[in-house]
Amino acid sequence: MKFIVSSTALSSHLQAISRVINSKNALPILDCFLFDLEDGTLSVTVSDSETTMVTTVEVNDSDANGRFAVVAKTLLDSLKEIPEQPLTFDVNADTYEITVQYQNGKYSLMGQNADEFPQSAVLGNNAVRVEMEAEVLLDGINRSVFATADDELRPVMNGIYFDITTDDITMVASDGHKLVRYKTTAAKGNERAAFILPKKPAILLKNLLPKESGMVTVEFDERNAVFTLDSYRMVCRLIEGRYPNYNSVIPQNNPYKVTVDRQLLIGVLRRVSIFSSQASSLIKMRLQENQIVISAQDIDFSTSAEETMVCQYSGTPMSIGFKSTFLLDILNNNSAEEVIFELADPSRAGVIVPVEQSEDEDLLMLLMPMMLND
């Protein structure tokens, strides 16, 4: 079989889906791209046995339908070096020999039998279907994926929880120290439903969605979910189990409110945290009338730093400690110019929300404090 395809179109699609492939696979066929040419449309599939991604590429010319597999790394690396031009693939259906011809040369490589490639999962009849704009899904994943855990003992925490109601969709992620809750009314379901999307497929979507526009269709049952985009389709295994009640850990009555410039605070934290203890990364925030004194010290090396910045605060003075790396994560994944810290006392979680939010979204981030010695 023979077909002609644009080198840059093929290369960009292959690079986008190649992130699915694991560096070490139990099945050698999972190191391959599965090419499936049918009626002038080329589908390319990759899988790591839990997540499968398919992309379609238009071909300029083809003489027959057919399927074959080819080692991903070899093909990817070789296509990267070819500028935009037509590539002619000539595949021997019996021996799986592949010849790729381009303007001034050709590549010869061996393919494999496509029948060894695992079938992707099929959803049951009770599957739930939800549609949302690519931008809304991307916003939710961008804001929350950093807060997912890597916890073998509690696998439900290792993904983003999608809580779907007939009014809105809430995406939640938490690792026990920090929590993100992103609620959007720009998308909703036809019924009450929920699923937990593992971290790897979430990151794959995070990389794909900026190139997409329009609607994303999400269909899921108890075990698997299918995300359908314009040029990509992803089938992934979901995390099974019951997600904890996330609303119960968000403190409701927080009398102390501090409004602060997000970028200024990030700058101060980066400078001061250099001098914090390497073991704990503890920084102390001392709140006073319209100012915060941020300090850190490392007793082992006799180093310390302190910096004062302005804020809006009119409550009683108090001190609270946070892990600087977690606090920076939260501030970096927030796009607002100013944020509000809602605090109750030094032992209760701090709630961080943007001062301004768009009318159809509600973003809340939470960080557990660290004990201060003084």
Side-chain angles (χ1 to χ4, degrees):
M1 94 180 177
K2 216 174 192 179
F3 61 92
I4 299 169
V5 63
S6 152
S7 60
T8 47
L10 182 61
S11 182
S12 68
H13 281 76
L14 294 185
Q15 274 178 324
I17 64 172
S18 67
R19 294 185 175 98
V20 174
I21 300 170
N22 287 334
S23 53
K24 289 180 180 167
N25 285 308
L27 296 171
I29 194 76
L30 295 180
D31 293 331
C32 297
F33 290 124
L34 170 65
F35 280 67
D36 191 341
L37 183 64
E38 195 169 314
D39 303 334
T41 301
L42 178 66
S43 303
V44 187
T45 306
V46 288
S47 178
D48 67 358
S49 78
E50 293 204 340
T51 305
T52 302
M53 195 175 283
V54 185
T55 183
T56 50
V57 187
E58 287 300 318
V59 296
N60 302 341
D61 191 20
S62 63
D63 66 354
N65 293 344
R67 300 168 80 226
F68 63 93
V70 59
V71 173
K73 188 175 187 320
T74 312
L75 191 60
L76 259 184
D77 291 349
S78 61
L79 292 184
K80 270 183 203 166
E81 306 302 326
I82 298 180
E84 167 53 46
Q85 57 186 279
L87 301 177
T88 305
F89 278 72
D90 196 342
V91 184
N92 184 320
D94 299 321
T95 63
Y96 298 110
E97 286 180 67
I98 304 166
T99 307
V100 184
Q101 292 187 322
Y102 55 100
Q103 205 167 354
N104 298 318
K106 66 174 185 177
Y107 296 145
S108 294
L109 56 161
M110 283 303 297
Q112 295 179 38
N113 187 340
D115 295 339
E116 294 175 24
F117 208 85
Q119 296 281 321
S120 67
V122 179
L123 296 182
N125 297 328
N126 59 341
V128 178
R129 178 188 167 100
V130 175
E131 286 193 347
M132 64 178 92
E133 285 190 25
E135 197 178 339
V136 173
L137 181 58
L138 177 62
D139 266 358
I141 292 174
N142 266 340
R143 300 280 170 79
S144 56
V145 72
F146 79 95
T148 52
D150 290 303
D151 189 341
E152 290 178 7
L153 299 177
R154 291 189 301 167
V156 292
M157 308 298 279
N158 299 346
I160 300 174
Y161 179 63
F162 283 69
D163 191 357
I164 298 160
T165 71
T166 51
D167 298 319
D168 53 46
I169 293 179
T170 305
M171 299 175 217
V172 183
S174 176
D175 61 2
H177 303 285
K178 49 189 182 289
L179 177 144
V180 176
R181 187 192 71 191
Y182 174 84
K183 184 185 285 189
T184 176
T185 54
K188 57 182 185 284
N190 299 322
E191 58 187 293
R192 190 77 205 259
F195 66 92
I196 306 172
L197 179 69
K199 185 184 290 193
K200 181 177 175 178
I203 291 170
L204 291 167
L205 283 170
K206 182 180 170 176
N207 291 322
L208 284 182
L209 287 167
K211 305 169 192 164
E212 296 283 314
S213 57
M215 300 302 282
V216 177
T217 305
V218 186
E219 295 165 286
F220 61 95
D221 58 14
E222 301 86 38
R223 302 199 58 171
N224 299 288
V226 179
F227 291 79
T228 308
L229 292 68
D230 276 353
S231 348
Y232 301 91
R233 183 171 180 270
M234 183 176 82
V235 184
C236 65
R237 175 91 50 86
L238 297 174
I239 298 174
E240 293 180 47
R242 189 178 175 84
Y243 203 80
N245 180 356
Y246 58 88
N247 283 317
S248 66
V249 299
I250 300 170
Q252 297 305 320
N253 300 316
N254 303 303
Y256 304 115
K257 291 183 169 50
V258 189
T259 305
V260 64
D261 184 295
R262 184 179 67 90
Q263 287 291 359
L264 280 179
L265 181 56
I266 288 173
V268 174
L269 288 171
R270 282 187 177 148
R271 290 188 289 274
V272 172
S273 64
I274 296 166
F275 296 87
S276 64
S277 159
Q278 289 185 346
S280 67
S281 300
L282 170 67
I283 56 111
K284 176 178 163 186
M285 297 171 73
R286 195 163 74 247
L287 305 176
Q288 298 164 349
E289 184 80 25
N290 289 336
Q291 69 173 28
I292 313 177
V293 180
I294 296 170
S295 59
Q297 64 173 348
D298 188 344
I299 295 165
D300 296 342
F301 292 96
S302 301
T303 60
S304 65
E306 182 178 288
E307 194 167 327
T308 305
M309 69 175 289
V310 293
C311 67
Q312 292 173 33
Y313 180 67
S314 56
T316 51
M318 69 177 284
S319 294
I320 189 165
F322 289 116
K323 192 179 179 77
S324 60
T325 47
F326 289 168
L327 186 51
L328 279 167
D329 273 347
I330 280 179
L331 294 170
N332 283 323
N333 284 282
N334 200 321
S335 55
E337 284 186 21
E338 290 186 312
V339 292
I340 300 171
F341 282 74
E342 298 180 358
L343 306 168
D345 65 60
S347 63
R348 285 175 62 188
V351 173
I352 300 147
V353 294
V355 170
E356 290 182 5
Q357 308 215 48
S358 65
E359 59 187 55
D360 55 7
E361 72 174 38
D362 174 17
L363 175 67
L364 177 145
M365 296 181 174
L366 175 148
L367 182 58
M368 296 303 291
M370 293 177 73
M371 292 300 292
L372 293 170
N373 296 328
D374 48 24

